[in-house]
Amino acid sequence: MSRPKRTHKVKLVVPKYNKEQEFDLKHAERLLDMGTQLNGGWVLPENSNYTYDKYDGLRIKSDKANSAKAD
């Protein structure tokens, strides 16, 4: 018996239309790469577990606190 392939889902929202939908990770990243002017306004919700930037794409937010301390 083989395990089903795991897919990561990312929720995106369009605040202007109060719309939300889950997309596969790669598809969500492609939408965000296009920018809001071309992708219909899709963005990550404020409470998302993911962060996005043009250079690194989508990444899961880290829960770890910064252990470096200033003296």
Side-chain angles (χ1 to χ4, degrees):
M1 184 167 108
S2 64
R3 287 187 212 171
K5 185 177 177 182
R6 292 183 189 187
T7 58
H8 293 278
K9 298 286 186 176
V10 179
K11 185 189 330 181
L12 297 181
V13 296
V14 182
K16 181 178 180 180
Y17 299 113
N18 198 27
K19 185 175 181 179
E20 64 181 50
Q21 185 173 340
E22 285 190 343
F23 296 96
D24 288 331
L25 182 73
K26 290 294 181 185
H27 188 72
E29 196 168 58
R30 285 192 301 268
L31 284 170
L32 295 172
D33 283 344
M34 291 169 50
T36 56
Q37 296 295 326
L38 298 175
N39 74 5
W42 291 106
V43 294
L44 284 169
E46 290 182 18
N47 63 349
S48 178
N49 292 331
Y50 291 88
T51 60
Y52 171 80
D53 67 49
K54 269 290 204 199
Y55 300 106
D56 295 324
L58 281 169
R59 292 180 292 142
I60 294 177
K61 288 181 182 176
S62 174
D63 289 342
K64 297 177 183 174
N66 186 355
S67 60
K69 294 184 180 183
D71 289 328

